[in-house]
Each structure stands twice: as structure tokens, then as C-alpha cells.
Amino acid sequence: MPRAERGLLQLRRLKDLIARLSERVPLYREKLRAAGVTPGDIRSLADLARLPFTVKDDFRQTYPYGLLAVRMEEVIRVHASSGTTGKPTVVAYTRQDVDTWSEVMARTLMAGGVGRGDVVHNAYGYGLFTGGLGFHYGAERVGAAVVPMSGGFTDRQLMALRDLGATVLCCTPSYALHLAEAAEEAGLVRGLKLRVGFFGAEPWTEAMRGALETRLNIMALNIYGLSEVIGPGVSVECLERRGMHVAEDHFLPEIVDPRTLEPLPPGATGELVFTTLTKEAMPLLRYRTRDLTTLDAGPCRCGRTLVRIGRITGRTDDMLIIRGVNVYPSQIEHALLQVPDVEPHYLLVLRRDSTLDTLEVQVEARAAIAGAGRDALAALGTIVRRKIHEVVGLTADVSVVPPKTIERSLGKAKRVLDLRHGGS
Ligand code: AMP
Ligand code: ZN
């Protein structure tokens, strides 16, 4: 679609969105009122800059369904992502939303030439995380055969990859590297028919792309998405692999200065912001992703006119991604506060053990039980580990240390020691 024509489509959809939000979602009615914007004020896409932002905390304030723009009877699916404390960020879909999602996921897979006859090995997690079902519906939509593996159980994954003739691999890049290593050890790589892989949900590098392509003999494509916007399907690389084309007819991207929140010119690095143009159940206005990147509206050799986002180079908040799971230090703190015998003095140590990330949580025992002996401290460690797993969904190595051994800082507490380097 030519850019000018798409611009008109986006504008029409944006006007419709503002009308729906001000009519049906109290939080947006209030935000729009505070910004002094009425639906009639939107005359061009440049007026986007006058609209209020949405942040993750808006989900927390309205948990679980306060951002719904339809009646609950219209909702057919719910997913969730990490919240900053104990409660997750809940997102909902109407039948039309699931259809839109399948459509953008079909485009994602087609960008790598996937279609009938392909066997899609889907090792993204099924469940509340959007990765598994997003790829599942997209693969069905393009007529491929889906193997719904979900994550983990590497030996079983290897057997399925080989025996079922997978041609397409979908998982996080770090897990793909782990699979590659395990396949090499088992002498399986030559028996694989893999052709292309769709990797995302966590930051990765060109060095890692090179490693995946050589070791698995595939084309490795970067995908980017987030639950709040729809899940995977927001953007994908074409075979040129110079940035990820955004499904702009559904998700309108902007780059803003994270401090001033002013829109930045094309090419500048800043925070990525999305407005959902067609979503029905939980449409969002200028959602601040907290991801840092650039936008490139220049022509692409593949012929697509859709704008491209570059690699995600960082975050404007303290969210960590560990084995594809989003983790906020505040969530760990929330878990620790629920265990009576430890103090909320803690340090998160991240390491890369061969290919997979590990998380060590060092936490101080309460003075009263510090002398209780090693067994008691080990038992306490087990309780903490279970609690963290319950709250965050991730297994951590827990070290319960004596009181006052974790360094106190004078200013902002240093809670994270990230020893993973460069992502490769
Ligand atoms: P979730 O909503 O749980 O799917 O997590 C979305 C977040 O995962 C994004 O905001 C990014 O921080 C991260 N993410 C997703 N895809 C990528 C990618 N290709 N590169 C870097 N980070 C990514
Ligand atoms: Zn392209």
C-alpha cells in the first residue's frame, strides 16, 4: 500500500479509536479531558503528539479489566505479562482481535517464506505468555503444520525437531542457541531440515545471529512485539534483515525522547511508543514500551513501504529479561516481603551459563534466625525460591546470607549485578 494511502487509513482509524476510547473507557475519557482533546480535534496524524500517553502503571491502576473498551461478553481470550509487583499486566482480545493477531502473525511468518508444507516447531511458551499461541495461530493461518512444543524439555525438543521434520523454528534466541548446542552434542544437526527461525521476546545481537545461522544452517529473523500491544506480530524483519517492518496499519509507532516525551525525528534513538489502531478489547493510546530503538521510514529493498524499527538497544526502566521471562526487581522484592524470615535487602546476580541465563538471588536472613544453623538457612532458601517462582515464574538460585552482608549504598540501592555480556 502506498504511504499516502496508508496515512489516510491510519488517520481514519485513529479518529475512530479516539471516539471509542472517550466513549467507553473512563481512564481515557479522563486523560483526553485533561489533555483538552476531543475526537473532533484530530485532523492529521501530526495531532497524535497532542494525545496523552499510556504507561504500564495504568494497567495496574485498572487491574484487571478497567481498560476494556467492550463488554466482557465480547472477550474470548485473556493473556498476561509481568507487572512491576505481584499482579500481572492483563490483556484481553475479542474474536476480531484474535483474527487481527492471526493476520499479523501470518504476515510475520510469510516474511520468512513460511506456508503450506512447512513444519513449524513452536517452542515459545504456551499459556498466559503471548508467544506460543501467537505463533500457533499465525502458522495455522498460513497453512503450515504446527508442532505446539512450548518451552523446556530439550531432549524432547531435539527428537521432535528431527523426527517431525521441522523446517521452521520459533523460540527465544537464547533457547535456540541452547538447542543448537544440544543438537551438536547429540550429533543431530545434519539430520535437521530447518530453513528459517523467528527469534525474539528478548534482546540479542548480530553476533548471536551469526552463531545461530552457522550452527543451525538457517536464516535467523528478528521479531519484536509486546503483550500490551497484541503480542508477537507487531514487527518482523524481511529477508533483507535491516530492521523490523511494523504492521503499521494496526500499530502506529513513534519514537519519543524518554525525558521530555517530545516526538523525535526519524533516525533518532528514543523510546518506542505504540498506538493500536484496530484493537477492540483493549485499545491503547501512545503506549510507552520503555524499549529504546530507532525508526527508519526509508525505502527497503524488499519493496515493503512499512516503517522499520532497529534492534532494541536498551530499556528506560529496570526490567530484566531472563530466559525470555520479563522480571522487575520490584517483583522479586514483593516475593521476598512475603517470607517472614528474610530482610528485603537483596542483590540479583545475572550470569550466562554457557548459553542460558541464570539468576542468583542473594538475600539477608533476619537477625533472629541468622544463628539457626546451615540446615535452617538452606530450608529458608527453598521457601524463598518457591515464592519467587510463584510470583515471577522463574527458578532462581537463592543464597540466604547473614544479616548486614549485602553492601548498603548511600544513594539509590544497587539491586542488580548483570554479568551477562553483550548478549552473545
Ligand atoms: P512481553 O509483553 O512479555 O511479550 O514482553 C515484551 C518485551 O520483550 C518488549 O517490551 C521488549 O522489551 C522485549 N522484546 C520483545 N521482542 C524483542 C526483541 N526482538 N529484541 C529485544 N527485546 C524484545
Ligand atoms: Zn524489507
Side-chain angles (χ1 to χ4, degrees):
M1 183 186 283
R3 202 173 280 282
E5 200 179 314
R6 188 170 54 243
L8 291 175
L9 175 74
Q10 289 171 324
L11 179 60
R12 184 157 48 78
R13 289 181 167 174
L14 180 64
K15 287 179 178 174
D16 173 67
L17 171 71
I18 307 291
R20 279 188 289 141
L21 288 176
S22 50
E23 194 183 319
R24 302 184 194 162
V25 185
L27 178 112
Y28 278 118
R29 194 178 307 135
E30 183 47 38
K31 277 181 189 275
L32 287 164
R33 197 195 54 75
V37 181
T38 66
D41 292 341
I42 307 301
R43 297 201 179 80
S44 80
L45 285 176
D47 291 324
L48 195 60
R50 297 175 51 195
L51 297 174
F53 288 95
T54 309
V55 292
K56 197 161 187 111
D57 199 49
D58 290 322
F59 281 84
R60 196 164 64 82
Q61 300 288 347
T62 57
Y63 176 86
Y65 293 130
L67 288 176
L68 270 189
V70 296
R71 284 174 303 131
M72 196 61 202
E73 292 91 310
E74 308 296 322
V75 172
I76 65 157
R77 179 86 66 75
V78 172
H79 282 280
S81 171
S82 301
T84 47
T85 55
K87 296 285 189 197
T89 298
V90 172
V91 289
Y93 303 71
T94 63
R95 191 170 298 283
Q96 178 64 46
D97 290 336
V98 171
D99 190 70
T100 305
W101 192 17
S102 309
E103 158 71 24
V104 290
M105 279 311 297
R107 288 187 205 169
T108 295
L109 287 156
M110 284 189 302
V114 179
R116 288 164 68 90
D118 272 308
V119 176
V120 176
H121 182 105
N122 186 11
Y124 280 110
Y126 280 66
L128 285 176
F129 175 55
T130 52
L133 283 168
F135 268 94
H136 188 100
Y137 275 58
E140 285 191 353
R141 178 69 57 101
V142 300
V146 198
V147 184
M149 289 304 296
S150 201
F153 306 104
T154 302
D155 287 349
R156 210 161 71 186
Q157 302 261 358
L158 289 182
M159 186 169 66
L161 274 171
R162 185 192 53 191
D163 296 354
L164 306 182
T167 54
V168 182
L169 175 61
C170 307
C171 61
T172 59
S174 55
Y175 193 59
L177 205 54
H178 183 66
L179 281 174
E181 203 170 70
E184 276 164 14
E185 272 167 26
L188 279 181
V189 180
R190 295 189 64 191
L192 299 181
K193 296 201 186 106
L194 288 175
R195 175 165 61 75
V196 59
F198 294 87
F199 306 122
E202 65 185 8
W204 56 305
T205 58
E206 286 305 317
M208 206 152 153
R209 189 201 306 266
L212 284 171
E213 295 197 330
T214 329
R215 294 172 83 164
L216 288 172
N217 193 21
I218 53 168
M219 168 83 90
L221 299 179
N222 195 7
I223 61 141
Y224 167 90
L226 63 164
S227 322
E228 292 88 336
V229 171
I230 202 152
V234 175
S235 62
V236 63
E237 281 179 330
C238 62
L239 298 178
E240 297 295 329
R241 299 180 302 166
R242 297 217 177 137
M244 298 175 277
H245 289 287
V246 178
E248 269 187 274
D249 45 341
H250 298 287
F251 318 113
L252 191 56
E254 295 172 83
I255 294 285
V256 302
D257 180 317
R259 278 174 305 109
T260 65
L261 299 184
E262 288 301 320
L264 290 175
T269 298
E271 184 175 331
L272 184 59
V273 168
F274 277 108
T275 297
T276 68
L277 294 173
T278 53
K279 256 196 354 178
E280 292 184 338
M282 276 192 185
L284 295 179
L285 212 49
R286 306 188 85 197
Y287 181 68
R288 292 185 57 188
T289 65
R290 304 283 176 180
D291 291 314
L292 289 170
T293 186
T294 53
L295 278 183
D296 183 351
C300 182
R301 275 188 293 190
C302 75
R304 286 175 183 80
T305 57
L306 300 165
V307 70
R308 285 167 290 162
I309 60 178
R311 277 200 187 273
I312 308 300
T313 53
R315 300 263 313 165
T316 64
D317 66 4
D318 56 357
M319 186 181 91
L320 304 162
I321 306 186
I322 305 168
R323 300 199 292 274
V325 180
N326 301 352
V327 181
Y328 291 91
S330 49
Q331 278 178 295
I332 306 262
E333 185 167 314
H334 184 81
L336 296 176
L337 284 168
Q338 292 175 52
V339 181
D341 288 334
V342 295
E343 297 284 356
H345 287 297
Y346 63 94
L347 182 69
L348 311 183
V349 186
L350 288 135
R351 297 188 181 88
R352 183 147 295 167
D353 164 22
S354 157
T355 52
L356 289 186
D357 294 348
T358 60
L359 167 66
E360 186 201 354
V361 179
Q362 300 177 4
V363 58
E364 287 182 7
R366 282 253 159 100
I369 73 129
R374 276 177 46 191
D375 286 354
L377 291 185
L380 183 54
T382 306
I383 296 172
V384 173
R385 188 157 50 90
R386 277 206 207 110
K387 191 42 96 182
I388 291 173
H389 189 258
E390 218 174 283
V391 173
V392 188
L394 196 75
T395 307
D397 302 318
V398 174
S399 316
V400 179
V401 299
K404 305 219 163 46
T405 41
I406 292 173
E407 199 181 330
R408 304 289 192 267
S409 50
L410 295 174
K412 198 168 144 58
K414 175 112 178 88
R415 302 291 198 196
V416 180
L417 186 59
D418 197 342
L419 303 173
R420 304 174 291 181
H421 41 83
S424 57

